[in-house]
Amino acid sequence: MTGEKTAVAWLASVAPDPEACRREWERNPLGIALLPAGKAWDVLILPGDLGYPTLDVLTRMLDRPGPVLADFGDSRLGFLVPAGTAARWVGTGVRTAGAGTWIVVPYPGRAARGVRWLVPPDGSGTLTDPALLELAMHEAAAQRARRGDADG
């Protein structure tokens, strides 16, 4: 299977009815489906002004971070992390989606309106390590603070 097909299979596997999920992706003019978080992955949602620099730091630390979503207007980024992370996360300004929540997920490899993959899933199940994500967030915040001090 191609990377896109394995990514679709991996994402759809968490849906209550994976075949219905695939049909929804095909039929929905927005190219999106709702999927439950908390099964194969949770999502840590950062504001865009922290999320983008965090993604930059992560991509310098890793060959390839786990999947990352951007929402409408790039105001928030969602990092897919191991299931159970949301219940344990205690970071300020970070929203979580875990067990009992649903997220909007675009079809991998296709343009969707409003929400898109910045780092699409590859179907391997690779997720971002929450400890590395936290380190990247701290580094991104420190870089932003240093730039702010230099501007003042």
Side-chain angles (χ1 to χ4, degrees), residues 8-16 18 22 35 39-40:
V8 168
W10 178 70
L11 287 168
S13 72
V14 302
R22 286 188 182 100
L35 291 177
K39 292 187 176 204

Side-chain angles (χ1 to χ4, degrees), residues 7 10-12 14 35-46 55 58 62 64-70 77-86 95 97 103-106 108 115-123 125-131 133:
W10 178 70
L11 287 168
V14 302
L35 291 177
K39 292 187 176 204
W41 34 260
D42 285 353
V43 184
L44 296 181
I45 304 161
L46 282 61
L55 180 57
L58 264 180
L62 304 168
R64 188 177 196 287
V68 180
L69 291 163
L77 270 64
F79 294 80
L80 273 65
V81 295
T85 301
R95 292 177 44 209
I103 64 163
V104 173
V105 178
V115 62
R116 64 192 169 93
W117 291 107
L118 295 177
V119 179
D122 61 8
T126 298
L127 299 167
T128 297
D129 179 317
L133 179 60

Side-chain angles (χ1 to χ4, degrees), residues 13-38:
S13 72
V14 302
D17 182 343
E19 281 307 311
C21 176
R22 286 188 182 100
R23 285 192 303 276
E24 176 72 11
W25 264 322
E26 295 296 327
R27 293 180 184 145
N28 186 315
L30 299 177
I32 59 172
L34 280 174
L35 291 177

